Amino acid sequence: MIEVKIGKNDSNQRFDRFLRKYFKNASLSVIQKNIRKKNFKINDKRAKKDDLICEGDLVKMYIKDEDYNKWVNTRKFKDCDFNIDIVYEDDNIVVIDKKKGVLSHAASPKDYGNNIVDQMTSYLYKTNKVDSRDLTFKPSIVNRLDRNTAGLIIGAKNARALRELNKAIKNSQIHKYYLTIVEGKVDKDFTIDTNIIKNENKNIVKSNEDGKRIITKFHPLDINDKYSLLECKLITGRTHQIRYSLFKNDTPIIGDRKYFKSGIDYRKYGLDSQVLLAYKLSFNTKGFLSYLNNKEIKSNQTKDLLKLKEKVFNESYTR
């Protein structure tokens, strides 16, 4: 007999869902069979698949050691060096200011350690802010940025925070703002509302009536006759949403060679990718994360983008 005490990351969920995560290497049919055979008890009572488990519950498993070892989630933590700029952290979330050129998560095994997810996980485990021995939960991010888009990424430190953050994003209760510099004079607010599909081979998006809807609001902060500094507010969140929307508006982002070959001198300004920064987050959540309401979290990289804006604007004035 094996005993497992339910922690906070596994509380408030159905027993069969817990078992599917705990016994990662067991099939659903094997799990259901053992539930039917009464091989599990919760607080000394026969466990049913739809029982709700709570923190502190004691689960007794009447199974062979060899089966347990074969079925249990054997995920092991492989640490890595971390170099992350944390702009906000509490018991539930961590907000990281990603640098341009860094992946949000690994795209292949060779990317291990060179992405925000791995570095965040290593930081949280090595500083004992999250228990690396937890078999059913691993810290996760809830928003992603393109490799060459810098700025704020939100990480969840426990399962409840992860669920609530995902729900808040789905319900538009977390507001994400970006800064960018575009070619063209934008002297009033505008919104791009269209449908797009993604070309996976070329990693670009294009308009398509049958595609996914994107909505982005744009507000000019500073302009001259040739360039504009814009604040962009995401209403939806899709791949290349801001980049494509501004290209479609004939006000492309400087440095964004994927959608537009800019006339700007790339070498002069040290540009090798789109000038786009996820610079601000604000919250309007309910319940568990409502303590974050009316809080604004900002990127430390904002000043660098504004310095670039001054250089670009001043150059255009002197021509």
Side-chain angles (χ1 to χ4, degrees):
M1 190 267 290
I2 297 161
E3 291 186 346
V4 176
K5 191 172 184 178
I6 300 299
K8 66 178 182 179
N9 284 325
D10 293 317
S11 63
N12 300 313
Q13 65 176 317
R14 282 171 48 130
F15 182 58
D16 56 350
R17 291 178 182 171
F18 161 74
L19 288 179
R20 292 203 68 181
K21 289 184 285 186
Y22 193 86
F23 289 131
K24 197 77 172 180
N25 301 316
S27 66
L28 177 60
S29 61
V30 165
I31 290 171
Q32 291 175 336
K33 178 181 178 181
N34 278 272
I35 294 175
R36 289 195 303 270
K37 291 177 66 176
K38 306 178 184 179
N39 288 343
F40 302 109
K41 288 186 177 181
I42 303 174
N43 300 329
D44 291 322
K45 294 182 179 179
R46 178 197 169 190
K48 300 176 182 178
K49 65 179 183 179
D50 56 355
D51 282 344
L52 191 69
I53 56 174
C54 301
E55 184 176 1
D57 283 350
L58 188 64
V59 177
K60 293 182 178 179
M61 303 179 174
Y62 295 89
I63 56 178
K64 297 178 182 177
D65 288 347
E66 60 189 71
D67 287 336
Y68 176 88
N69 293 328
K70 182 171 62 176
W71 299 338
V72 74
N73 186 350
T74 55
R75 172 176 59 81
K76 293 182 180 179
F77 165 54
K78 179 182 177 183
D79 69 355
C80 66
D81 292 333
F82 53 86
N83 180 25
I84 50 177
D85 181 10
I86 297 172
V87 294
Y88 177 82
E89 183 176 6
D90 60 33
D91 290 341
N92 300 306
I93 75 168
V94 56
V95 181
I96 296 166
D97 202 358
K98 184 182 87 69
K99 300 297 187 292
K100 183 186 75 169
V102 178
L103 290 167
S104 294
H105 58 86
S108 67
K110 67 179 182 180
D111 298 323
Y112 184 81
N114 297 315
N115 63 84
I116 292 298
V117 170
D118 289 339
Q119 292 193 31
M120 176 189 72
T121 302
S122 195
Y123 158 72
L124 292 173
Y125 285 165
K126 284 177 145 180
T127 55
N128 296 316
K129 296 185 177 183
V130 175
D131 189 354
S132 63
R133 297 168 299 177
D134 193 325
L135 296 180
T136 60
F137 175 78
K138 181 180 179 181
S140 302
I141 61 173
V142 296
N143 64 309
R144 291 183 267 183
L145 299 176
D146 293 342
R147 181 198 288 267
N148 288 317
T149 297
L152 303 178
I153 290 181
I154 311 170
K157 296 169 68 174
N158 56 66
R160 186 178 183 186
L162 180 60
R163 291 193 297 269
E164 294 296 324
L165 285 169
N166 283 329
K167 183 166 66 175
I169 289 175
K170 181 179 180 181
N171 295 330
S172 301
Q173 295 169 350
I174 298 177
H175 306 301
K176 294 173 280 188
Y177 298 87
Y178 291 67
L179 287 179
T180 189
I181 304 169
V182 301
E183 291 198 10
K185 184 177 181 180
V186 180
D187 56 8
K188 62 182 179 180
D189 292 359
F190 68 97
T191 300
I192 296 293
D193 184 345
T194 188
N195 290 53
I196 60 171
I197 59 170
K198 184 178 180 181
N199 184 320
E200 297 290 347
N201 293 329
K202 295 183 178 181
N203 192 29
I204 60 172
V205 300
K206 62 181 181 180
S207 290
N208 188 295
E209 291 183 359
D210 297 323
K212 295 179 179 178
R213 188 182 185 189
I214 59 169
I215 308 173
T216 320
K217 295 182 179 292
F218 298 93
H219 171 66
L221 298 174
D222 197 2
I223 62 173
N224 67 13
D225 288 337
K226 193 169 183 180
Y227 298 103
S228 302
L229 173 70
L230 302 182
E231 180 184 73
C232 322
K233 182 181 180 181
L234 290 184
I235 306 303
T236 58
R238 306 291 184 193
T239 299
H240 295 182
Q241 175 171 324
I242 294 174
R243 296 167 67 182
Y244 178 76
S245 294
L246 289 169
F247 165 70
K248 181 180 178 66
N249 191 58
D250 294 325
T251 53
I253 297 174
I254 65 170
D256 192 355
R257 302 186 191 204
K258 187 176 287 289
Y259 289 97
F260 178 77
K261 185 171 177 56
S262 173
I264 198 168
D265 188 337
Y266 285 81
R267 291 185 179 181
K268 182 173 184 177
Y269 298 107
L271 298 178
D272 56 8
S273 60
Q274 70 272 9
V275 176
L276 185 60
L277 173 68
Y279 90 107
K280 184 172 71 174
L281 295 167
S282 66
F283 297 78
N284 184 27
T285 59
K286 298 178 181 179
F288 178 59
L289 296 176
S290 60
Y291 67 89
L292 293 167
N293 289 353
N294 302 316
K295 179 183 289 293
E296 283 190 349
I297 301 172
K298 293 187 176 181
S299 167
N300 291 328
Q301 300 176 76
T302 303
K303 59 183 180 297
D304 295 326
L305 189 144
L306 295 179
K307 286 180 181 178
L308 174 63
K309 186 268 298 185
E310 290 299 320
K311 290 181 181 178
V312 171
F313 276 40
N314 288 339
E315 174 67 18
S316 65
Y317 276 128
T318 58
R319 287 183 179 177

